[in-house]
Amino acid sequence: FKRTTRIILVTPPPIHSEKAAIFMKSVVSHMPPNEAQLFSSFTITRDVEHTRQYAEALIELGRKEDVATVDLWKVMPLDKLDDILTDGLHFSKLGNRLVYQEIVKTIA
């Protein structure tokens, strides 16, 4: 990258583990049996606490290296995750809008 390139760190968002597990079961239930068998023991290994710890480490790295950091935990309250995440992991239209707004604030 060029020396003029600005780097922005973006924390992982909170995760809705229960919703993600339900979504994954739904996906597997629609797979052909031979494919579904591959996912029969699949579990969501990410959880809120570990994701938060990762986000905090990223924020600290941004401070230490003087790199702008977008903390999605500040704009994505845990009690609103049903509206922010479509399947417990991926952003909804609202979630994408929140990420966009925070990045624009950071680069403005």
Side-chain angles (χ1 to χ4, degrees), residues 34-88:
N34 60 327
E35 291 179 25
Q37 185 177 6
L38 297 172
F39 292 93
S40 63
S41 62
F42 180 82
T43 58
I44 300 294
T45 56
R46 292 170 59 186
D47 62 38
V48 174
E49 184 53 34
H50 287 106
T51 306
R52 180 66 191 154
Q53 289 173 3
Y54 184 86
E56 288 172 354
L58 197 62
I59 292 165
E60 182 57 32
L61 176 65
R63 278 191 206 113
K64 180 180 175 184
E65 297 298 327
D66 196 27
V67 174
T69 305
V70 174
D71 182 2
L72 295 180
W73 287 68
K74 288 185 177 179
V75 295
M76 297 183 173
L78 295 178
D79 63 341
K80 301 291 185 199
L81 292 183
D82 280 329
D83 299 327
I84 295 169
L85 303 171
T86 59
D87 58 8

Side-chain angles (χ1 to χ4, degrees), residues 18-39:
E18 297 81 19
K19 190 173 182 179
I22 291 168
F23 175 78
M24 194 62 197
K25 285 181 184 176
S26 172
V27 168
V28 171
S29 73
H30 291 90
M31 290 179 169
N34 60 327
E35 291 179 25
Q37 185 177 6
L38 297 172
F39 292 93

Side-chain angles (χ1 to χ4, degrees), residues 70 72 75 97-107:
V70 174
L72 295 180
V75 295
R97 187 177 318 121
L98 292 170
V99 172
Y100 168 80
Q101 289 170 343
E102 291 305 303
I103 290 174
V104 167
K105 281 186 213 174
T106 302
I107 63 176

